[in-house]
Amino acid sequence: MADRARVLMCPPTHYEISYVINPWMREELGNTSALDAMREWEGLRFALSVLADIEVMAAQPGLPDLPFTANAGLVLENVFVSSRFKNVERRGEEAHNIAWFEAQGFEIRALPETITFEGAGDALFDRAVPRLWMGYGHRTDLAAASALAMLLSVETIPLGLVDPRFYHLDTCFCPLSRGHVLYFPAAFDAAARAAIEARIPAQQRIAVDEADALTFACNAVNIGDVIVLARASAVLRAALENAGYRVVETPLGEFLKAGGSAKCLTLRVDEARAVDSARLAVLEGTD
Ligand code: ARG
């Protein structure tokens, strides 16, 4: 049996909306409930603890978005590529994240200083082949794509994001374990849609409608055959079940106010390099 997944989370002890750096936060300044946020976060932690070991990083006063651990950086094997936030409001998180990964024995790497990069919020490994999908245009710079490809020796596909409500790749795109992608096509520019369509066959593309996109259905945590998300319509649930997944819903409305949901609140810290089974078959002479 494969090792259990390991997921990093950070409790919303100091979570609040005290600044506006995306459209979701605009109407929500000072409008979160600490109790509800903690209850929802515990619900997510409980749902995920069935599937993964949860590592918990200490919350810090003055860093209200720290619970969105997806933005800490990008993990591949023993390497941690730390984020460089676009918005000054989140830059204080960088040192805490680096310290946590250093203490865990990760090799810390960074992109060149002029490049912004928001970690696993904008960089998602394909689950089926060795490939990194990278969103750019709102937070992460396009230049991060070639820098990551070099740093991690992985093919990196940059995807242009065009809708400010879907400002991180993980708000509108989720690669799934059986090779599918769950995504909201209208959040991407034409070149990005073409890049996705060129690599993922039509029957493997699960497009969500705007209503599911706006409740952040694409911001899902997929471990094995299970998909944990805040909410899925009946139509989306059926599509995912038909594709072989089990769907678990856990409410995360307090975090949607900040523009986040299930996936943003987590970071896989046991990211292995995907095996290129097509190339392996050639090497083994079994294709
Ligand atoms: N308020 C945070 C921000 O705008 C939310 C981050 C959500 N994280 C994510 N991976 N999408 O930066």
Side-chain angles (χ1 to χ4, degrees), residues 15 19 21-22 25 65 68-71 85 87 90 93 118 120-122 139 167-171 216 219 255 257-261 263-266:
Y15 173 68
Y19 50 74
I21 56 171
N22 69 50
M25 301 172 96
D65 276 333
F68 296 112
T69 52
N71 298 126
F85 286 95
N87 301 101
R90 295 198 66 183
E93 297 177 33
E118 299 207 353
D122 267 331
R139 300 292 183 83
Y167 56 92
H168 277 142
L169 182 62
D170 70 359
T171 64
F216 269 29
N219 199 251
F255 298 98
K257 295 175 179 176
S261 195
K263 161 67 174 56
C264 304
L265 292 165
T266 67

Side-chain angles (χ1 to χ4, degrees), residues 179-193:
H180 302 89
V181 298
L182 174 66
Y183 77 129
F184 179 50
F188 295 89
D189 66 21
R193 286 198 300 271

